Amino acid sequence: MSDLCDLVGDMTNGVDAVLLFGPSGSYYERAAGADLPVVVVAQENTVDAEHFVDLPLEFADVSQRIRFGLEGALENELLEEGSTALCAAKTFAEDIDSVVRVRAGEFARSGVYELFADSRAEAHIIRDVLEVAIELGKKGQKGKPVGALFVVGDAGKVMNKSRPLSYNPFEKSHVHVGDPIVNVMLKEFSRLDGAFIISDSGKIVSAYRYLEPSAEGVDIPKGLGARHMAGGAITRDTNAVSIVLSESDGLVRAFSGGQLVLELDPEDY
Ligand SMILES: Nc1ncnc2c1ncn2[C@@H]1O[C@H](COP(=O)(O)OP(=O)(O)OP(=O)(O)O)[C@@H](O)[C@H]1O
Ligand SMILES: [Mn+2]
């Protein structure tokens, strides 16, 4: 037993900070009593934490959630590069049941925090588009799997690096993501080819765009096709981010700065 205690105790030795993912109020109170900086990572700061990182969606994958929290804490200078953090999160239970020890900056930044915090479009626009893609991935179009490509932000430049495949149904309209009617429209039009272009403020600028970015220097995992290549490459050529739903493997991916920064399975949401 004492071996076991030593083993578990080693987890907390030399820790510089504690990251709590979605803690209850009482859990937070107890952790705040410890003699270490505490950062709360959650969708809402219900515990009134002094140090807080805003989680834009409840990543089903714990490692992705932790990555987001660490990147956010580093970015907001709540954590120093190279310091050791103890991350307490929920994996199976309703309350915190898992502790992960990590060194901040040990692995390359995925850019998932920047996707939301530093993109030109507002974080809630990115989140809304992700939600449409996740929902579309779950249900498909009339039961059939469907693919879609959303390019969000820096719309003027994206329009310059693309051409129309068909007439633009959003030509004279002033509709925005997040509006329930728009979500129905986006799903309906996703049957057709090309990309949706969305402005920084969430206005749907166009559907049916064929993207023509230069693919030079784009580092996209092998096996992904033209939709993903174009979606990734446009984020290197412009300050847009892309959200891509794959028709073939059903996953939702996000690209920023020409890199894959997020991969989600809609079935987990
Ligand atoms: N440059 C592009 N700009 C906009 N849309 C594109 C572009 N290239 C391909 N697409 C769209 O992606 C669709 C699927 O192409 P492809 O199968 O090569 O992509 P993929 O990356 O394998 O995506 P999926 O996983 O959904 O099959 C095309 O039918 C087209 O609608
Ligand atoms: Mn394909």
Side-chain angles (χ1 to χ4, degrees), residues 152-174:
V152 189
D154 207 3
K157 208 161 171 198
V158 174
M159 288 300 275
N160 284 334
K161 291 196 176 277
S162 61
R163 66 175 73 208
L165 288 167
S166 176
Y167 88 100
N168 174 18
F170 294 95
E171 172 90 65
K172 292 213 163 61
S173 64
H174 288 275

Side-chain angles (χ1 to χ4, degrees), residues 43-59:
Q43 287 183 294
E44 261 178 85
N45 191 1
T46 52
V47 300
D48 264 328
E50 193 186 333
H51 304 303
F52 177 70
V53 173
D54 194 358
L55 195 68
L57 77 162
E58 194 55 59
F59 296 96

Side-chain angles (χ1 to χ4, degrees), residues 147 149 193-195 209-211 224-228 230 245-248:
L149 166 51
D193 270 351
R209 290 301 281 196
Y210 183 75
L211 306 177
L224 295 173
R227 190 192 325 264
H228 293 84
L245 168 64
S246 167
E247 186 178 343
S248 42

Side-chain angles (χ1 to χ4, degrees), residues 2-268:
S2 87
D3 283 352
L4 186 58
C5 288
D6 285 352
L7 210 59
V8 176
D10 282 351
M11 291 273 287
T12 58
N13 270 346
V15 160
D16 301 302
V18 179
L19 265 65
L20 302 180
F21 290 75
S24 63
S26 59
Y27 199 103
Y28 173 67
E29 291 300 320
R30 282 173 64 199
D35 210 11
L36 281 172
V38 174
V39 179
V40 169
V41 186
Q43 287 183 294
E44 261 178 85
N45 191 1
T46 52
V47 300
D48 264 328
E50 193 186 333
H51 304 303
F52 177 70
V53 173
D54 194 358
L55 195 68
L57 77 162
E58 194 55 59
F59 296 96
D61 182 283
V62 180
S63 59
Q64 245 161 13
R65 208 182 312 150
I66 288 179
R67 218 170 234 272
F68 183 93
L70 282 175
E71 290 179 16
L74 283 169
E75 190 76 9
N76 291 299
E77 292 173 4
L78 301 172
L79 206 61
E80 272 175 47
E81 197 86 34
S83 60
T84 300
L86 204 67
C87 302
K90 303 169 190 176
T91 303
F92 296 108
E94 288 293 298
D95 214 336
I96 285 174
D97 61 354
S98 322
V99 174
V100 177
R101 180 191 168 106
V102 278
R103 186 186 289 275
E106 190 168 73
F107 31 70
R109 288 210 197 181
S110 70
V112 65
Y113 181 78
E114 284 84 352
L115 172 69
F116 292 96
D118 294 346
S119 65
R120 289 190 28 150
E122 290 163 50
H124 72 95
I125 309 275
I126 311 266
R127 197 194 51 221
D128 285 347
V129 175
L130 256 176
E131 276 169 9
V132 172
I134 287 170
E135 217 180 301
L136 209 57
K138 257 194 223 160
K139 294 198 187 127
Q141 247 307 326
K142 307 197 163 72
K144 286 216 187 85
V146 68
L149 166 51
F150 302 95
V151 185
V152 189
D154 207 3
K157 208 161 171 198
V158 174
M159 288 300 275
N160 284 334
K161 291 196 176 277
S162 61
R163 66 175 73 208
L165 288 167
S166 176
Y167 88 100
N168 174 18
F170 294 95
E171 172 90 65
K172 292 213 163 61
S173 64
H174 288 275
V175 290
H176 286 72
V177 228
D179 179 344
I181 291 199
V182 174
N183 289 355
V184 174
M185 287 168 87
L186 290 181
K187 284 177 204 162
E188 192 56 36
F189 291 130
S190 66
R191 271 182 299 125
L192 297 136
D193 270 351
F196 291 100
I197 313 294
I198 296 161
S199 78
D200 292 333
S201 63
K203 182 182 182 295
I204 322 275
V205 177
S206 184
Y208 304 141
R209 290 301 281 196
Y210 183 75
L211 306 177
E212 297 180 306
S214 131
E216 203 181 321
V218 178
D219 180 22
I220 298 221
K222 296 268 177 307
L224 295 173
R227 190 192 325 264
H228 293 84
M229 181 55 85
I234 194 77
T235 70
R236 204 179 151 276
D237 262 12
T238 67
N239 289 312
V241 302
S242 289
I243 293 171
V244 187
L245 168 64
S246 167
E247 186 178 343
S248 42
D249 67 16
L251 299 183
V252 171
R253 295 181 177 83
F255 297 90
S256 170
Q259 305 246 316
L260 176 68
V261 296
L262 178 66
E263 197 170 80
L264 302 173
D265 186 344
E267 298 300 335
D268 294 340

